Amino acid sequence: MSLLSIRNLRTEFSGPAGIVRAVDGVSLDVAPGEIFGIVGESGCGKSATCRSILRLFGGAPARVAGGQILLDGVGDLAAMPERALAQVRGREVAFIFQDPLTALNPTMRIGRQIAEVILRHRKVSRAEARQAALGLLRDVHVTSPERRLDAYPHELSGGLRQRVVIAMALALRPRLIIADEPTTALDVTVQDQILRLLRERCDSTGTAIILITHDLGVVSQVCDRMAVMYAGRIVETGAVREVLDHPSHPYTRALLAALPGQASRGRDLVPIEGSPPGLIAPPPGCRFAPRCRLAREDCGSGPAPGLLPRPGTAPGHLDACILSEVPDVAS
Amino acid sequence: MSLLEFRGVARRFPVRHGLLDRLARRDRVWLHAVRGVDLSVARGEILGIVGESGCGKSTLARIGVGLQPANAGSVRFHGAALDGPDPAGRIQMVFQDPYSSLDPRMTIGAQLDEVIARYRAGLGRAGRRALVAQMLDEVGLPQEVAAKFPHALSGGQRQRVSIARALCSGPEVLLADEPVSALDASVQAQIINLLRRLNRDKGLTIVFISHDMNVVRYLCDRVAVMYLGEIVELDDSARLFAAPRHPYTRALIEAVPDLHAPREAVAAIHGEIPDPFAVVEGCRFAPRCPLAEAGCARPQALRPLPPSGAVRCDKAC
């Protein structure tokens, strides 16, 4: 049973040079209570995919140009008028941004901001909303929560601010939280705490999370399943341990090989030469083919290949490489 | 003999002290970014400096290159005290953000030419142009880049330009402050390879400041760990990562997500990065330390610990 089912999503941005197909045929499923990671490098469409779900484009000239975004019990969010979608935001699906400071109102005390969210959607008194805010701060392990209720965002550290943002996202008990690089601005020790918190909230409330990150380590630490995106498309998906320990798409392998690890000390790293294609007129065939060391002639022609299972891999582990054998590229 | 040496270097910044504060006769408040750092950088090594935001690692680098004076202590280069930037440009710096450290209105060639003209006054136009070409080649950029403006380059290319510009004066030491943090993994690998090659082939000494423990472990020969303005541990990279001895170093390494293993059940450390204004007697890490006990309230000295390295924790062994 899927909580969210995205089918063949296409999202376009209109730019000065033409239509940018930021998301071009993405399909994925998220089950209740799971953390689904979407990884990829800048411009791969991971954020655009997730912003499409709630149509949160921040004023950018973007539109969902095709596909379905099916939320269990609610319907197709892609086909929903703006007013109906506003009812879904926060209540069914909440969003956590990378920078907690821009997500919080600098002139409003923490307690009041969380209470506002509750008051807007629920019929409760101010006192009850404040009490609920206090409970939420406790849930996200904010120390001395009574005192923090009356603090302004600037008085809190980065980690505490992100906890407050998570408390706000949890306020209406949404079934899905979309977290866009929630720990990228944080130090590694604080990141560790926030990731544990997300996992714990997910396990105890059954809320599902889509976690967008460029950091494969973060995915390894908290996610159940994952998708790797490249140039607007998913190139590999599956259970996290499967994809990271037995990657099958050349791009996923190249990405892992480029990371400095204990084993690579004393040897040169293996970068991916070249840069991702422009998405106004993406190349035919596999979009990674121009940079792929294994590419054959037919890789660069025809429609972009879709996700398929590979003989010998675990169920649910799919990749979009047409080669029947993908030898290890790490030298 | 050390090439670049920090001796008891300290730096504090005044915190806004308004009229009301003065009327109320409140004392001026200081942020102590760096508190008495002793560190020597040996010729030809890559020394890593790691720590969380606000630990003073960037301030230390800026003092090293002479962008900021120290309030106490001294920086020595080739054994002589350095007062401000080295006039011959033998110590250079590369910053995290190549977008803001290049001039958007000048071509890459003109920007490199400017630096060369400053440090090598004897060179004529043709000589400078040849050197620009050589610098681009050095960092693996095609010659066409000279005619381009920064906006026409990718992030990785811009960071190569920043490095080329730092190399124009023929430096002996490069202080690199988070030079790969803003780059995607595939591009990051290119820049790391470039720094390694400059170190190995040209003997360039590099001080590499980073919060990324994986990159530091891979690249650096020695590592200094900073916490709230102090060095808490210093050791060979391999030994430090294999057997960290300061509880903070241990926590920092444990917090790094592992690509091939699920997370540990218990968090490495609790608590936030502390308020740098808070006055802590004794060990500054004690409020977050799992091993803290009464004895930690007395000041801890950075003491040598065999077989190599030094640690600022009385309980470490």
Side-chain angles (χ1 to χ4, degrees), chain B residues 6 30 37 61 109 155 157 172 183-184 192-193 226 273 278 288:
Chain B
F6 297 87
W30 297 92
V37 165
Q157 287 177 318
E172 294 172 38
L183 305 173
D184 273 320
I192 292 170
N193 284 346
M226 285 186 74
I273 295 164
R288 294 168 84 190

Side-chain angles (χ1 to χ4, degrees), chain A residues 269-283:
Chain A
L269 296 175
V270 191
I272 306 175
E273 301 301 340
S275 36
L279 295 178
I280 291 174

